[in-house]
Amino acid sequence: MNANTPSDLADLRAAFLVDDAGESALGWPGVYAFEAEHGIVLPEPYRTFVAEITDGSLSGPPDFGLLGVAEMPDDWGDDRPVRDVAAPFPLTEAWLWEEDSRPSEEIEPLLDAVFDHGSIVLGTDGCGMYWHLVVTGPHRGHIWNISGEGAMPFGAEFGHTTAASGFVGWVRHWAAGKPWFDVA
């Protein structure tokens, strides 16, 4: 899932129609600076994607475009806690907190970490539904959908989709015009 292959990078270029000779990319110095500032190393192939191909795109995925590595969606909210990208991403399996039987006093303190620890926000599909690339912990390199109702990993091994996991699988699925959740 984390190795760069020429076909992966070619598919990423084609999906975003990037042909600007790297002008929209962050560049390796920018990637290194972001990683040093946050105490992480971005997972491949996303790392090479933002360094050499493009750092964000008006075309999706998700529905409102792919954010640059240091950007946040307009609908994120100004009253959110400070994000700690280096802190471990806390989940290893789907969690629908709306269906969790624990009292809200137990659930609420856990939610900030789900939204704000160990991930890069790739973008939004609106209505408080965000796509995250996990950059720390056991799910490093996986894409997660996190919303007001719950959080779930993206990839065929987790159910709900036929797509391969990781950034390239997520982009290929979108580029093929498939719905995010295409398994009944």
Side-chain angles (χ1 to χ4, degrees), residues 37-82:
E37 177 183 343
H38 294 284
I40 54 122
V41 174
L42 295 169
E44 290 292 354
Y46 179 77
R47 185 177 196 233
T48 297
F49 174 79
V50 298
E52 297 180 2
I53 299 174
T54 191
D55 182 28
S57 174
L58 293 177
S59 61
D63 286 347
F64 295 98
L66 185 70
L67 294 172
V69 69
E71 295 177 13
M72 294 301 294
D74 291 339
D75 66 347
W76 188 254
D78 296 330
D79 59 345
R80 303 257 337 127
V82 174

Side-chain angles (χ1 to χ4, degrees), residues 4-160:
N4 281 335
T5 68
S7 67
D8 288 346
L9 296 176
D11 287 353
L12 291 171
R13 275 188 184 85
F16 291 96
L17 304 173
V18 178
D19 61 358
D20 65 2
E23 288 183 29
S24 60
L26 186 58
W28 285 107
V31 168
Y32 299 146
F34 178 86
E35 291 174 338
E37 177 183 343
H38 294 284
I40 54 122
V41 174
L42 295 169
E44 290 292 354
Y46 179 77
R47 185 177 196 233
T48 297
F49 174 79
V50 298
E52 297 180 2
I53 299 174
T54 191
D55 182 28
S57 174
L58 293 177
S59 61
D63 286 347
F64 295 98
L66 185 70
L67 294 172
V69 69
E71 295 177 13
M72 294 301 294
D74 291 339
D75 66 347
W76 188 254
D78 296 330
D79 59 345
R80 303 257 337 127
V82 174
R83 300 194 82 245
D84 187 352
V85 177
F89 183 74
L91 301 178
T92 56
E93 60 185 41
W95 178 31
L96 295 175
W97 42 84
E98 275 204 343
E99 296 178 5
D100 196 312
S101 62
R102 292 180 287 177
S104 63
E105 297 80 31
E106 287 182 37
I107 294 172
E108 287 296 324
L110 305 174
L111 295 181
D112 285 343
V114 173
F115 279 92
D116 296 314
H117 289 179
S119 68
I120 299 298
V121 180
L122 297 173
T124 181
D125 277 333
C127 300
M129 184 168 65
Y130 304 98
W131 292 98
H132 292 241
L133 171 63
V134 176
V135 298
T136 61
H139 270 240
R140 184 178 188 278
H142 287 282
I143 304 291
W144 278 68
N145 180 272
I146 304 175
S147 68
E149 297 75 36
M152 60 183 8
F154 181 82
E157 70 263 38
F158 306 113
H160 309 291

